[in-house]
Amino acid sequence: MELLTRLRAWLTAEKLDAVLISSRQNKQQHLGISTASGYVLVTHQAAHILTDFRYYSDIASRVSGYTLHLLDAANPLTALLSNLIAEEGIATLGFEGEQVSWQTGSQWRDTLDAKLCSISLDALRQIKTADEIDRIRAACQIADRAAQYIRRFIQPGMREREVAAELEWFMKQQGADKPSFDTIVASGARGALPHGKATDKVIAAGEMVTLDFGAQHQGYCSDMTRTFLVAGQGQKQEDHPLYRVYQTVLEAQLAAIAAIRPGVACQQIDAAARTVIERAGFGPQFGHNTGHAIGIDVHENPRFSPTDMTLLQPGMLLTVEPGIYIDGLGGVRIEDVVLVTATGAEVLYTMGKTLLATGEN
């Protein structure tokens, strides 16, 4: 299995005999489901899943290559771990220190006959497997269809909450398990709020509306942002006070995407977008990173930030989402999920960057 092979190579590099995985994000790949309960213990020769009655049968039907152990009152975690440590000859055991409480870590240190080492596995999730890429691609396809649908749905007089509810309903109809995060619908002056969640505000003719949303599908997330103009009768998009802002953000986003290829530092991608925005005179109105990795969590590392020096590698998936926000007037953000390929970048959305909402369905 590619996942276990990669993890065992990491064990060798870290000079560890085994790792105990407790975080939902890092367990999901092994369990086949997303849950905060249970543990995964991986050694150089074996892989174990320790879970309780609620998930035992479900996990047993989903995974292979692991030995399942039932956690219950007769077989508590420390007892099962002690037995496995003895059976597997584990002398050094890594655990997710950022995920485990001080009290639990102290208990393990006092009970388990192994040297405990605090570790992080997050870097192992940066390069996605072929299966993970397929799942994220499917999640992006759902969001892509939703964006095209909602662009035709939005009309003056609708409330932001109504638009968000329709968008989320449509994504579920298309196969989403749930939204990746709370849907953002920010219209008019509220567009200056980068994370302006949907409210009861009525969308008026002539306003721009920023929608930031995503679908979670088979445990993996998509993330997409489009800004639309809900034009009034006879209104030309070129006459809107944010039209130049929109064109600047679009130019910045396309510049960043064009710069993506293996071996380029994340900070260089951020610089590609930021340079365009600063040159247009909107530097102070772009106060967040250009993007972030995406996968099991909607926000993962690395980041397209001014300080992230991580080098891009094939199999990484990140968002590209520059924005400009002007208090009292509104804002614009455009976002795609991009796969780093062997030679460059693949945008996982097909929808164009059309500004006008049609109001037709």
Side-chain angles (χ1 to χ4, degrees):
M1 296 174 64
E2 181 181 351
L3 179 61
L4 290 176
T5 299
R6 185 186 297 181
L7 188 52
R8 285 173 176 141
W10 177 87
L11 284 175
T12 298
E14 297 295 319
K15 297 181 173 58
L16 293 171
D17 295 323
V19 62
L20 180 66
I21 305 172
S22 57
S23 67
R24 175 191 63 81
Q25 297 89 338
N26 289 319
K27 286 185 306 187
Q28 181 172 309
Q29 300 163 301
H30 301 270
L31 303 181
I33 60 173
S34 177
T35 172
S37 300
Y39 299 84
V40 177
L41 179 71
V42 177
T43 72
H44 290 278
Q45 290 79 34
H48 304 269
I49 292 175
L50 298 79
T51 188
D52 63 50
F53 174 83
R54 296 170 297 169
Y55 304 102
Y56 190 94
S57 296
D58 191 11
I59 292 173
S61 70
R62 293 172 179 268
V63 302
S64 61
Y66 297 78
T67 302
L68 265 64
H69 305 266
L70 180 64
L71 287 170
D72 56 22
N75 299 285
L77 176 64
T78 51
L80 283 175
L81 284 177
S82 293
N83 291 337
L84 291 171
I85 286 171
E87 292 171 6
E88 301 279 352
I90 297 171
T92 55
L93 174 64
F95 73 101
E96 296 184 272
E98 292 184 354
Q99 301 289 331
V100 175
S101 69
W102 181 89
Q103 182 175 357
T104 298
S106 297
Q107 182 188 22
W108 290 353
R109 182 194 61 201
D110 295 339
T111 306
L112 302 178
D113 187 18
K115 178 183 177 182
L116 298 183
C117 305
S118 176
I119 56 87
S120 173
L121 294 171
D122 289 351
L124 292 180
R125 302 208 326 267
Q126 291 185 4
I127 300 175
K128 271 52 179 182
T129 65
D131 177 66
E132 289 180 303
I133 292 171
D134 286 344
R135 294 187 186 205
I136 295 169
R137 189 185 297 276
C140 288
Q141 289 170 349
I142 292 171
D144 205 5
R145 293 192 293 271
Q148 298 184 55
Y149 170 80
I150 208 68
R151 173 175 169 260
R152 299 188 300 271
F153 176 82
I154 299 175
Q155 297 183 48
M158 291 181 174
R159 297 186 184 276
E160 292 175 346
R161 292 189 198 277
E162 181 182 355
V163 174
E166 184 75 15
L167 183 59
E168 292 175 6
W169 174 87
F170 184 88
M171 289 193 294
K172 288 185 177 180
Q173 292 293 313
Q174 296 295 309
D177 301 326
K178 61 181 181 179
S180 299
F181 50 90
D182 290 340
T183 299
I184 292 169
V185 181
S187 61
R190 293 191 70 252
L193 304 174
H195 280 182
K197 295 176 184 177
T199 68
D200 287 326
K201 179 189 175 299
V202 174
I203 298 170
E207 289 186 331
M208 283 195 181
V209 183
T210 296
L211 297 100
D212 189 343
F213 58 95
Q216 187 182 100
H217 179 66
Q218 296 184 352
Y220 287 80
C221 297
S222 59
D223 191 358
M224 186 178 191
T225 306
R226 290 293 186 268
T227 299
F228 299 122
L229 171 60
V230 184
Q233 188 172 6
Q235 182 183 15
K236 295 181 179 180
Q237 60 181 7
E238 295 85 356
D239 295 334
H240 195 281
L242 287 174
Y243 180 75
R244 178 170 170 263
V245 170
Y246 187 91
Q247 296 302 316
T248 300
V249 171
L250 178 57
E251 181 185 352
Q253 203 231 12
L254 295 177
I257 293 172
I260 294 174
R261 61 185 181 277
V264 175
C266 285
Q267 61 183 183
Q268 292 176 259
I269 309 304
D270 180 89
R274 204 168 296 277
T275 297
V276 171
I277 292 174
E278 290 176 347
R279 188 171 58 231
F282 296 112
Q285 285 76 46
F286 178 28
H288 58 72
N289 295 333
T290 297
H292 54 83
I294 190 169
I296 292 173
D297 281 339
V298 72
H299 294 102
E300 297 186 350
N301 289 320
R303 314 279 172 138
F304 287 145
S305 81
T307 59
D308 194 325
M309 296 184 289
T310 304
L311 299 181
L312 295 175
Q313 300 181 61
M316 288 182 171
L317 287 121
L318 302 100
T319 68
V320 180
E321 49 178 308
I324 295 173
Y325 313 92
I326 302 175
D327 288 342
L329 183 60
V332 174
R333 183 166 64 256
I334 304 172
E335 175 185 22
D336 290 320
V337 171
V338 177
L339 169 66
V340 183
T341 68
T343 57
E346 177 190 356
V347 176
L348 298 192
Y349 298 125
T350 62
M351 183 181 180
K353 314 297 169 54
T354 304
L355 175 57
L356 282 174
T358 64
E360 301 172 0
N361 221 343

Short mmCIF file of all heavy atoms in Angstrom, two decimals, residues 10-33:
data_model
loop_
_atom_site.label_atom_id
_atom_site.label_comp_id
_atom_site.label_asym_id
_atom_site.label_seq_id
_atom_site.Cartn_x
_atom_site.Cartn_y
_atom_site.Cartn_z
N TRP A 10 9.17 7.04 6.29
CA TRP A 10 9.29 8.14 7.24
C TRP A 10 9.78 7.62 8.60
O TRP A 10 10.63 8.26 9.25
CB TRP A 10 7.93 8.83 7.39
CG TRP A 10 7.91 9.93 8.40
CD1 TRP A 10 8.21 11.24 8.21
CD2 TRP A 10 7.53 9.82 9.78
NE1 TRP A 10 8.07 11.95 9.37
CE2 TRP A 10 7.65 11.10 10.36
CE3 TRP A 10 7.11 8.75 10.58
CZ2 TRP A 10 7.36 11.34 11.70
CZ3 TRP A 10 6.83 8.99 11.91
CH2 TRP A 10 6.95 10.27 12.46
N LEU A 11 9.28 6.47 9.04
CA LEU A 11 9.75 5.88 10.30
C LEU A 11 11.26 5.63 10.26
O LEU A 11 11.98 5.93 11.22
CB LEU A 11 9.04 4.55 10.57
CG LEU A 11 7.60 4.59 11.06
CD1 LEU A 11 7.02 3.18 11.15
CD2 LEU A 11 7.50 5.27 12.43
N THR A 12 11.72 5.13 9.13
CA THR A 12 13.16 4.87 8.99
C THR A 12 13.95 6.17 9.07
O THR A 12 14.97 6.26 9.77
CB THR A 12 13.44 4.16 7.66
OG1 THR A 12 12.76 2.90 7.63
CG2 THR A 12 14.93 3.93 7.47
N ALA A 13 13.48 7.20 8.37
CA ALA A 13 14.18 8.48 8.37
C ALA A 13 14.20 9.12 9.75
O ALA A 13 15.18 9.77 10.13
CB ALA A 13 13.51 9.43 7.37
N GLU A 14 13.12 8.92 10.52
CA GLU A 14 13.02 9.50 11.85
C GLU A 14 13.63 8.62 12.94
O GLU A 14 13.62 8.99 14.12
CB GLU A 14 11.56 9.79 12.19
CG GLU A 14 10.89 10.81 11.29
CD GLU A 14 11.50 12.19 11.44
OE1 GLU A 14 11.81 12.58 12.60
OE2 GLU A 14 11.67 12.88 10.41
N LYS A 15 14.12 7.44 12.55
CA LYS A 15 14.72 6.48 13.50
C LYS A 15 13.73 6.10 14.60
O LYS A 15 14.05 6.06 15.80
CB LYS A 15 16.02 7.04 14.10
CG LYS A 15 17.11 7.28 13.07
CD LYS A 15 18.38 7.82 13.70
CE LYS A 15 19.52 7.90 12.71
NZ LYS A 15 19.23 8.72 11.54
N LEU A 16 12.50 5.76 14.18
CA LEU A 16 11.45 5.33 15.09
C LEU A 16 11.05 3.90 14.76
O LEU A 16 11.10 3.47 13.60
CB LEU A 16 10.22 6.24 14.97
CG LEU A 16 10.37 7.69 15.42
CD1 LEU A 16 9.14 8.49 15.02
CD2 LEU A 16 10.59 7.76 16.93
N ASP A 17 10.62 3.19 15.79
CA ASP A 17 10.13 1.82 15.57
C ASP A 17 8.66 1.80 15.20
O ASP A 17 8.20 0.87 14.51
CB ASP A 17 10.33 0.97 16.85
CG ASP A 17 11.79 0.78 17.19
OD1 ASP A 17 12.60 0.62 16.26
OD2 ASP A 17 12.11 0.76 18.40
N ALA A 18 7.92 2.80 15.63
CA ALA A 18 6.48 2.83 15.37
C ALA A 18 5.95 4.24 15.57
O ALA A 18 6.61 5.09 16.17
CB ALA A 18 5.76 1.85 16.30
N VAL A 19 4.73 4.46 15.07
CA VAL A 19 4.05 5.72 15.28
C VAL A 19 2.61 5.43 15.66
O VAL A 19 1.97 4.54 15.09
CB VAL A 19 4.13 6.63 14.03
CG1 VAL A 19 3.44 5.99 12.83
CG2 VAL A 19 3.53 8.00 14.32
N LEU A 20 2.11 6.19 16.64
CA LEU A 20 0.73 6.09 17.07
C LEU A 20 -0.01 7.32 16.55
O LEU A 20 0.31 8.45 16.92
CB LEU A 20 0.64 6.01 18.60
CG LEU A 20 -0.78 5.89 19.18
CD1 LEU A 20 -1.40 4.57 18.79
CD2 LEU A 20 -0.74 6.04 20.71
N ILE A 21 -1.00 7.10 15.71
CA ILE A 21 -1.72 8.20 15.05
C ILE A 21 -3.06 8.39 15.75
O ILE A 21 -3.84 7.45 15.90
CB ILE A 21 -1.94 7.89 13.56
CG1 ILE A 21 -0.60 7.57 12.89
CG2 ILE A 21 -2.63 9.05 12.87
CD1 ILE A 21 -0.74 7.07 11.47
N SER A 22 -3.33 9.64 16.16
CA SER A 22 -4.55 9.92 16.91
C SER A 22 -5.42 11.01 16.28
O SER A 22 -6.62 11.09 16.57
CB SER A 22 -4.20 10.33 18.35
OG SER A 22 -3.32 11.45 18.36
N SER A 23 -4.85 11.86 15.42
CA SER A 23 -5.63 12.96 14.87
C SER A 23 -6.60 12.45 13.80
O SER A 23 -6.29 11.51 13.05
CB SER A 23 -4.71 14.02 14.26
OG SER A 23 -4.05 13.52 13.12
N ARG A 24 -7.75 13.09 13.72
CA ARG A 24 -8.75 12.70 12.72
C ARG A 24 -8.16 12.78 11.31
O ARG A 24 -8.37 11.87 10.49
CB ARG A 24 -9.96 13.64 12.82
CG ARG A 24 -11.03 13.42 11.76
CD ARG A 24 -12.05 14.53 11.76
NE ARG A 24 -11.46 15.82 11.41
CZ ARG A 24 -11.22 16.22 10.15
NH1 ARG A 24 -11.49 15.41 9.14
NH2 ARG A 24 -10.70 17.41 9.91
N GLN A 25 -7.43 13.84 11.01
CA GLN A 25 -6.94 14.05 9.67
C GLN A 25 -5.97 12.94 9.24
O GLN A 25 -6.05 12.44 8.11
CB GLN A 25 -6.24 15.40 9.56
CG GLN A 25 -7.14 16.59 9.81
CD GLN A 25 -7.21 16.99 11.28
OE1 GLN A 25 -6.93 16.19 12.16
NE2 GLN A 25 -7.59 18.23 11.52
N ASN A 26 -5.06 12.58 10.12
CA ASN A 26 -4.05 11.60 9.75
C ASN A 26 -4.53 10.16 9.88
O ASN A 26 -3.93 9.26 9.31
CB ASN A 26 -2.78 11.81 10.59
CG ASN A 26 -2.05 13.07 10.18
OD1 ASN A 26 -1.92 13.38 9.01
ND2 ASN A 26 -1.57 13.84 11.16
N LYS A 27 -5.63 9.95 10.61
CA LYS A 27 -6.22 8.61 10.69
C LYS A 27 -7.11 8.30 9.50
O LYS A 27 -7.28 7.14 9.13
CB LYS A 27 -7.05 8.46 11.96
CG LYS A 27 -6.28 8.31 13.24
CD LYS A 27 -7.20 8.06 14.41
CE LYS A 27 -8.27 9.11 14.53
NZ LYS A 27 -9.07 8.99 15.75
N GLN A 28 -7.72 9.32 8.94
CA GLN A 28 -8.78 9.10 7.95
C GLN A 28 -8.31 8.22 6.80
O GLN A 28 -9.04 7.35 6.32
CB GLN A 28 -9.29 10.43 7.41
CG GLN A 28 -10.40 10.29 6.39
CD GLN A 28 -11.01 11.62 6.03
OE1 GLN A 28 -11.40 12.40 6.90
NE2 GLN A 28 -11.08 11.91 4.74
N GLN A 29 -7.10 8.44 6.34
CA GLN A 29 -6.58 7.65 5.22
C GLN A 29 -6.50 6.17 5.57
O GLN A 29 -6.64 5.31 4.70
CB GLN A 29 -5.20 8.16 4.82
CG GLN A 29 -5.18 9.62 4.38
CD GLN A 29 -3.79 10.19 4.39
OE1 GLN A 29 -3.12 10.20 5.42
NE2 GLN A 29 -3.33 10.66 3.25
N HIS A 30 -6.28 5.86 6.84
CA HIS A 30 -6.15 4.48 7.27
C HIS A 30 -7.50 3.85 7.60
O HIS A 30 -7.74 2.67 7.31
CB HIS A 30 -5.25 4.40 8.52
CG HIS A 30 -3.88 4.94 8.31
ND1 HIS A 30 -2.83 4.17 7.88
CD2 HIS A 30 -3.39 6.20 8.47
CE1 HIS A 30 -1.74 4.93 7.79
NE2 HIS A 30 -2.06 6.16 8.13
N LEU A 31 -8.40 4.62 8.21
CA LEU A 31 -9.67 4.09 8.68
C LEU A 31 -10.73 4.02 7.58
O LEU A 31 -11.66 3.22 7.66
CB LEU A 31 -10.22 4.95 9.83
CG LEU A 31 -9.35 5.14 11.06
CD1 LEU A 31 -10.08 5.99 12.09
CD2 LEU A 31 -8.96 3.80 11.66
N GLY A 32 -10.61 4.88 6.60
CA GLY A 32 -11.63 4.95 5.57
C GLY A 32 -12.83 5.77 5.99
O GLY A 32 -13.76 5.95 5.21
N ILE A 33 -12.84 6.29 7.20
CA ILE A 33 -13.90 7.17 7.70
C ILE A 33 -13.25 8.29 8.50
O ILE A 33 -12.09 8.19 8.91
CB ILE A 33 -14.92 6.43 8.58
CG1 ILE A 33 -14.23 5.81 9.81
CG2 ILE A 33 -15.66 5.36 7.80
CD1 ILE A 33 -15.19 5.20 10.81
#
